[in-house]
Amino acid sequence: MSALGVEPSGPSVATSQAHRRQRRAVVTRHGLLVAAGERFAEAGYHGATLREILDACGVTKGALYFHFPGKQALVDALIEATVRIWTDMAAEVEATGVDPLRALIASVDGVFAQLPTDPIVRGAVRLLNDPGVPSDHACEHY
């Protein structure tokens, strides 16, 4: 509210509000992926429920369905995010110009460093090894 008691309006206010909504959506989506990763890592696909994921994340069903149409979409997003992490890691190792053996060792070290610290990666790895969990991104991972 301005000193004259008038609400500011116009393009800059609309842009600012859009940025806040976009930021909140990114934070919510990431929080859902983290909560899903933790739950899937712990209980597997069939043992984890959407209710548990929502409770862990502290969001509503509406927020979940805004970002993901269902449980399988969460699985796909976790695996896709993990594939992106591995791809970025491989590119970083390749950029160092080390010989192939050192590149392999650095890549394996990177993977093992991610597993205990990144719930998204941990959940995706569990899902990729869970029997009966289909994913279009599994072949990209392997």
Side-chain angles (χ1 to χ4, degrees):
M1 185 140 337
S2 73
L4 300 174
V6 178
E7 284 290 323
S9 63
S12 65
V13 171
T15 301
S16 175
Q17 290 171 343
H19 283 112
R20 279 195 301 272
R21 281 192 305 271
Q22 184 179 24
R23 171 94 176 113
R24 187 174 63 230
V26 167
V27 168
T28 300
R29 185 179 194 283
H30 182 74
L32 282 163
L33 288 174
V34 168
E38 289 172 344
R39 197 64 205 121
F40 287 137
E42 189 176 301
Y45 180 81
H46 299 289
T49 67
L50 289 178
R51 172 56 39 212
E52 292 168 334
I53 293 167
L54 292 173
D55 289 347
C57 187
V59 298
T60 64
K61 265 189 196 179
L64 170 76
Y65 290 121
F66 176 80
H67 294 282
F68 306 102
K71 192 174 183 180
Q72 185 60 46
L74 269 170
V75 168
D76 291 337
L78 283 169
I79 294 170
E80 185 178 341
T82 300
V83 167
R84 203 169 28 254
I85 289 168
W86 297 159
T87 302
D88 292 348
M89 191 182 312
E92 288 175 19
V93 169
E94 187 176 324
T96 64
V98 297
D99 64 83
L101 179 59
R102 290 190 193 284
L104 176 62
I105 292 168
S107 295
V108 170
D109 283 349
V111 168
F112 282 110
Q114 288 286 322
L115 283 171
T117 61
D118 190 329
I120 293 172
V121 169
R122 204 169 40 257
V125 169
R126 167 75 188 263
L127 290 166
L128 285 162
N129 293 295
D130 237 354
V133 179
S135 173
D136 295 337
H137 301 286
C139 62
E140 295 170 20
H141 170 75
Y142 288 112

